[in-house]
Amino acid sequence: MAGTPNFDRRTFLKLAAAAGLTGAAGVTTATPGRSPGPKKEEILVGVSKTADSPRKAVEKHVPGNATVVHENKTLSYVAVKFPSVAADRARENFISAVTKRDEVKYAEKNVTHQALYTTNDPQYGSQYAPQQVNADTAWDTTLGSADVTVAVVDQGVKYDHPDLSAQFGSDKGQDFVDADGDPYPDVLADEYHGTHVAGIAAGTTDNSEGIGGISDSSLLSGRALSESGSGSTSDIADAIEWAADQGADVINLSLGGGGYTSTMKNAVSYATQQGSLVVAAAGNDGSGSVSYPAAYSECVAVSALDPDETLASYSNYGTDIDLAAPGTNVLSCWTTDTEYKEISGTSMATPVVSGVAGLTLAVYDLSPADLRSQLKNTAVDVGLSENEQGAGRVDAANAVTTEPGSGGGGGGGGGDSTTSTIDDSLSSSADSDCWSYAWEYGSPSQVVVDLSGPSSADFDLYVNEGSGTCPTTGSYDYRSWTTDSEEQIVIDDPDTSADLSVLVDSYSGGGSYTVTVTEKE
């Protein structure tokens, strides 16, 4: 039973200010002539929303040989393009100079991301992925619902494919590579990845045609990768924001590379706060660290399994893995006359999880945090380490037949939750508050920390777990650092050996704020 205890000295204590502190809708159409795909000549500059506009805040600091070529007002960043002949040093000098400006939160290269699949020789045969995650059993409860939308941010999707056309409505999506309203692949022979991913998540089931996708969810295509299989941070971030604004319940990111970027982090944070579950591929390097964007705490990071449920040799693994799913030799939709083909990768495992998420939402109305917990709580332990499988192999039958919050499966978890709130204010960018939160449960399965601050200011949220020490803006376990004052941090299986420490910091401006901490057993 949910409870709402009052903040008192036992539950939530205000600490002394931390020492050592350091200071589509909304997407402006790209400037004509801006090249599609990777944009290595560009620097992305994030601007606090206390500025009049991102473009105005940055434009006056741009050197004469560069120009602002793109603006995203929702995520509050601009892209500054330098001539292709400009030396890397010129871009580095610009990053160093512009980040000294009060309204600028970050500046970073517009790095390139790749579709995360591993090609192999064509193999034709029966599907195994839906059966391995017990989707066929889940279909006795639901085939999915057109009221649930899965957005595929990837290459374009062949939306007239016979196994996909029924899953698309009148709005097929957006093309962020070529900056137009048609996400159809440019070169069908080369641009198959998005179509394959879409078919896994939501190829039409029980239609006497081809394959059965995991769920009969509605599909949206956000074309952010070109026919070469690569795309820029800005195109992907814009597509994520657009998908969230379209009301996507699940956003599938079968892509990675480029490392941590604030622009992408802010995009997945925005999508989560808008109500979208972001599911991302762990990476195909076979390494012990999860690639970005999957490594962001907001994302559900997915590793890939072979048909015998061992970890695929190509799959990344590590402490950030949330779930595992079949990814090797997965049969799905194709863009050429072949129509169906098997390929492998964490790209293929990711839409299996997205499809199971779609099935789950057809039965239960869940927030992104609760949906994430449901998928993990109902996962199946296949005998791998936690670094390889996370909570376990996703299981569709368990997910749709287990009442949320009742536990079960490999992820554990109970049914109780408790919510605590505190209201206070910050006066200016020189101000911050640190709070210590005493745990209500001995072993909570998840804690969600939300910050809601004034729209006229830019407040940020920092959290430490397990140490009892106050985070600073330069030293923390978790940070939510968007360009406005709406922040959220989700921690699965938090360390309760010490009180949770929460820092609210004003990057710019002042006003009242509310911090909400929700523990789930």
Side-chain angles (χ1 to χ4, degrees):
M1 182 176 65
T4 310
N6 294 323
F7 279 105
D8 55 27
R9 294 191 60 82
R10 179 183 63 80
T11 304
F12 214 114
L13 295 177
K14 188 172 183 179
L15 304 181
L21 294 182
T22 60
V27 180
T28 301
T29 302
T31 301
R34 187 170 184 248
S35 61
K39 299 172 177 64
K40 297 178 181 179
E41 296 83 20
E42 294 182 3
I43 300 298
L44 305 181
V45 184
V47 178
S48 173
K49 286 195 175 177
T50 55
D52 288 340
S53 79
R55 181 182 291 272
K56 289 180 181 178
V58 175
E59 216 158 28
K60 55 191 174 185
H61 306 301
V62 173
N65 65 338
T67 184
V68 174
V69 294
H70 180 67
E71 179 184 42
N72 184 317
K73 292 182 179 179
T74 301
L75 299 181
S76 197
Y77 80 86
V78 297
V80 178
K81 184 176 182 179
F82 285 74
S84 58
V85 296
D88 286 342
R89 182 175 293 277
R91 297 184 186 90
E92 294 294 341
N93 287 342
F94 172 68
I95 290 174
S96 177
V98 78
T99 49
K100 292 181 172 68
R101 304 297 175 178
D102 289 342
E103 294 172 322
V104 174
K105 297 202 77 168
Y106 67 86
E108 60 195 10
K109 294 178 180 178
N110 196 356
V111 296
T112 301
H113 301 259
Q114 306 287 339
L116 292 179
Y117 64 95
T118 301
T119 58
N120 57 18
D121 293 331
Q123 298 182 34
Y124 300 94
S126 300
Q127 290 178 269
Y128 78 94
Q131 295 90 333
Q132 191 171 82
V133 301
N134 294 313
D136 48 353
T137 302
W139 294 336
D140 290 336
T141 300
T142 180
L143 291 174
S145 171
D147 293 334
V148 176
T149 300
V150 176
V152 177
V153 174
D154 207 291
Q155 288 182 325
V157 176
K158 185 181 180 183
Y159 48 72
D160 57 0
H161 188 286
D163 242 334
L164 296 175
S165 59
Q167 307 311 114
F168 281 91
S170 57
D171 180 7
K172 306 298 189 289
Q174 288 287 318
D175 185 343
F176 294 86
V177 178
D178 295 329
D180 61 48
D182 186 358
Y184 204 78
D186 278 3
V187 182
L188 287 173
D190 297 333
E191 195 170 341
Y192 47 80
H193 187 265
T195 300
H196 199 271
V197 166
I200 296 170
T204 311
T205 304
D206 199 30
N207 66 338
S208 301
E209 179 73 49
I211 57 103
I214 301 294
S215 70
D216 274 355
S217 300
S218 294
L219 285 166
L220 274 177
S221 172
R223 184 174 184 256
L225 305 181
S226 69
E227 58 269 24
S228 69
S230 59
S232 66
T233 296
S234 58
D235 286 347
I236 297 165
D238 288 357
I240 293 169
E241 179 232 316
W242 163 83
D245 287 345
Q246 302 312 301
D249 300 286
V250 182
I251 299 176
N252 190 96
L253 302 178
S254 289
L255 49 82
Y260 181 103
T261 74
S262 292
T263 304
M264 191 78 77
K265 166 76 170 176
N266 288 346
V268 297
S269 293
Y270 176 82
T272 302
Q273 291 168 8
Q274 294 300 110
S276 303
L277 181 73
V278 184
V279 186
N284 290 347
D285 304 317
S287 69
S289 61
V290 175
S291 69
Y292 290 97
Y296 297 125
S297 59
E298 292 87 350
C299 295
V300 176
V302 183
S303 62
L305 302 177
D306 285 337
D308 63 358
E309 296 199 324
T310 58
L311 186 73
S313 60
Y314 53 80
S315 179
N316 288 9
Y317 55 94
T319 56
D320 291 317
I321 292 294
D322 292 296
L323 291 164
T328 300
N329 295 339
V330 178
L331 183 66
S332 186
C333 301
W334 206 250
T335 51
T336 63
D337 291 341
T338 303
E339 288 195 341
Y340 303 96
K341 193 171 180 179
E342 293 178 359
I343 58 175
S344 304
T346 53
S347 273
M348 285 59 255
T350 302
V352 173
V353 174
S354 294
V356 174
L359 284 177
T360 307
L361 289 175
V363 180
Y364 305 112
D365 183 13
L366 300 171
S367 69
D370 288 340
L371 176 57
R372 179 192 188 110
S373 293
Q374 178 74 351
L375 296 177
K376 295 180 73 170
N377 290 344
T378 58
V380 173
D381 183 351
V382 294
L384 300 176
S385 71
E386 189 173 348
N387 281 0
E388 294 173 325
Q389 68 174 357
R393 191 256 299 137
V394 70
D395 192 279
N398 288 346
V400 303
T401 60
T402 303
E403 190 69 26
S406 63
D416 288 350
S417 67
T418 181
T419 299
S420 303
T421 61
I422 188 70
D423 298 308
D424 212 312
S425 62
L426 299 175
S427 59
S428 68
S429 60
D431 201 5
S432 64
D433 287 338
C434 192
W435 300 91
S436 177
Y437 173 80
W439 299 100
E440 295 287 336
Y441 301 134
S443 299
S445 63
Q446 186 184 78
V447 63
V448 181
V449 185
D450 287 291
L451 168 65
S452 180
S455 59
S456 58
D458 181 0
F459 291 0
D460 299 320
L461 182 66
Y462 302 80
V463 171
N464 278 349
E465 62 168 335
S467 66
T469 59
C470 194
T472 71
T473 58
S475 177
Y476 50 84
D477 292 332
Y478 301 90
R479 175 179 74 171
S480 184
W481 196 58
T482 64
T483 52
D484 59 20
S485 298
E486 300 299 315
E487 312 289 351
Q488 183 182 79
I489 292 171
V490 179
I491 307 171
D492 291 328
D493 301 317
D495 184 345
T496 59
S497 59
D499 288 355
L500 193 72
S501 299
V502 179
L503 176 73
V504 181
D505 178 70
S506 170
Y507 182 87
S508 179
S512 299
Y513 67 83
T514 299
V515 173
T516 303
V517 177
T518 303
E519 276 185 74
K520 301 175 184 179
E521 275 200 314

